[in-house]
Amino acid sequence: MPQVIALVGDRNDAVTAHRAIPRALVLAAQACGVELEARWLPTDGIRDDRDLAGYDGFWCVPASPYRSEAGALRAIGHARAQHRPFLGTCGGFQHAVVEYARSVLGWADADHAETSPDAARAVIVPLACSLVEVAEPVIFSPDTRIAAAYGVERIEEGYHCRYGLGPVFREVAFGDGALRIGAVDSQDDIRAIEMRDHPFFVATLFQPERAALRGEVPPLVCAFVRAVADGATAGREAA
């Protein structure tokens, strides 16, 4: 029986990442020897946890604002709380930050500046320099899951985004808590986060899936697929 991954987002084949992600999962599944099925899960189709049942993993994909921010946040929160493997890229990174700020830090007013430009507590803010269709170095934090996936200290990855992590979040969210910094850029701006006590919860501002369009297996996607497979196996053994 194949493992089923929900692609949380509003599919648009004009979006480069939306074309790349299914290909990335196929390449990763082949490389890992895993039988996999990916299903698009529109954000406006997520109304309660029943809409999230039956998925072994969740990938919150780029191209926000989503049709339903509430739907995207519900899927992210479900993956976090239920210990389902989660990958968020670009918009998925941004909304993982918003969900964590609201649900874990207890900041009910935490928001995204793209949809709430006048928010009193914006945890996602406009980047000082837009990262639309550019590639930049990414430096991995030692002893993190993302560093283990890539197996190198630094790499160059591509972006398509105008928003990133706000200083109000960085000042409070990291340290000895559940969240840690997975990667930074050459200016020490955070480009990836992950959770410590979770089977796999990683979010990146960059888009590793784009490697699939060059015929390459994205290392982080392969690590995500392995986590999904391991979680499904553990669930069957516990049943």
Side-chain angles (χ1 to χ4, degrees):
M1 180 180 296
Q3 277 77 64
V4 182
I5 292 176
L7 302 182
V8 179
D10 308 312
R11 182 177 180 176
N12 179 355
D13 287 339
V15 175
T16 300
H18 289 194
R19 300 194 304 275
I21 285 170
R23 180 60 180 160
L25 287 170
V26 168
L27 291 175
Q30 291 172 347
C32 298
V34 173
E35 191 177 356
L36 195 69
E37 180 183 348
R39 298 177 188 169
W40 286 92
L41 182 58
T43 58
D44 55 359
I46 304 170
R47 292 167 292 276
D48 57 45
D49 283 354
R50 289 173 296 181
D51 298 315
L52 302 169
Y55 294 104
D56 300 298
F58 295 84
W59 185 340
C60 192
V61 307
S64 60
Y66 302 117
R67 289 201 295 261
S68 172
E69 180 184 73
L73 295 177
R74 179 178 288 276
I76 295 167
H78 177 86
R80 177 185 54 76
Q82 299 301 316
H83 281 219
R84 294 285 189 272
F86 171 83
L87 179 61
T89 55
C90 196
F93 168 98
Q94 296 162 13
H95 286 77
V97 168
V98 173
E99 198 282 328
Y100 188 91
R102 291 182 184 178
S103 301
V104 179
L105 299 181
W107 296 354
D109 59 346
D111 227 321
H112 192 310
E114 183 177 31
T115 50
S116 300
D118 299 322
R121 183 146 45 182
V123 293
I124 297 295
V125 300
L127 292 166
C129 295
S130 176
L131 293 172
V132 176
E133 296 305 312
V134 301
E136 287 196 346
V138 175
I139 304 158
F140 300 113
S141 302
D143 302 319
T144 56
R145 186 172 281 108
I146 190 171
Y150 278 89
V152 295
E153 293 182 357
R154 61 189 292 156
I155 198 170
E156 190 170 90
E157 286 283 11
Y159 296 81
H160 187 95
C161 65
R162 296 180 176 86
Y163 292 84
L165 195 67
V168 65
F169 186 85
R170 180 168 186 164
E171 290 168 3
V172 173
F174 302 101
D176 297 330
L179 202 65
R180 64 184 173 187
I181 298 170
V184 298
D185 70 359
S186 56
Q187 304 301 314
D188 199 41
D189 290 323
I190 295 173
R191 296 298 183 241
I193 59 174
E194 60 179 56
M195 294 189 70
R196 289 185 173 89
D197 299 323
H198 193 285
F200 190 97
F201 192 102
V202 179
T204 69
L205 195 60
F206 55 88
Q207 297 183 356
E209 59 267 17
R210 288 177 171 231
L213 298 178
R214 304 189 296 270
E216 302 170 12
V217 180
L220 184 59
V221 179
C222 210
F224 171 58
V225 167
R226 287 195 191 99
V228 171
D230 290 347
T233 299
R236 286 195 295 269
E237 291 174 350

